[in-house]
Every structure is written in C-alpha cells, then in structure tokens.
Amino acid sequence: MPGSYSLLLVLADTVGRSILTPRELPSGLVAALFGAPYFMWLMYCAGKQKQSIRLRNES
C-alpha cells in the first residue's frame, strides 16, 4: 500500500499533538511505539516460516 507510511506519520503526529494537550510528542517517537511491535511480529513470523520450510526440506 503506497500511502500507508504517510498515513502512519499523520496519525502519529495527530496522536502526539493530542495525547499531552499543552505539550507535543515527536511524531517519530509515536510512530516508533506503533512500528516496533509490528516489526518484532514480522520478524517472528519470518523466523517461524523459515523454520517450517527447513523442517519440510529435511523430511
């Protein structure tokens, strides 16, 4: 999806501006809070897939 990263940054900026009303959180920080767990999940799924392929090739 081409515009998904820009949408993530717009949402992160909106959340960063509204979560602490008189102050602002950097949009990169908010994006990292959303992106890091997603990245870890992707790495977990890729490792699981690689392991299943390796087990299938051994038998």
Side-chain angles (χ1 to χ4, degrees):
M1 194 180 248
S4 61
Y5 188 68
S6 59
L7 179 63
L8 173 69
L9 285 179
V10 168
L11 289 175
D13 186 49
T14 303
V15 169
R17 288 175 187 255
S18 62
I19 201 160
L20 299 172
T21 306
R23 303 176 87 185
E24 293 182 4
L25 289 174
S27 59
L29 177 69
V30 179
L33 290 175
F34 288 121
Y38 178 68
F39 180 70
M40 296 299 285
W41 177 75
L42 283 176
M43 295 297 289
Y44 173 75
C45 289
K48 217 166 123 175
Q49 182 181 14
K50 200 179 270 189
Q51 183 180 12
S52 69
I53 291 171
R54 189 180 323 128
L55 289 175
R56 200 173 335 144
N57 288 337
E58 288 177 358
S59 55

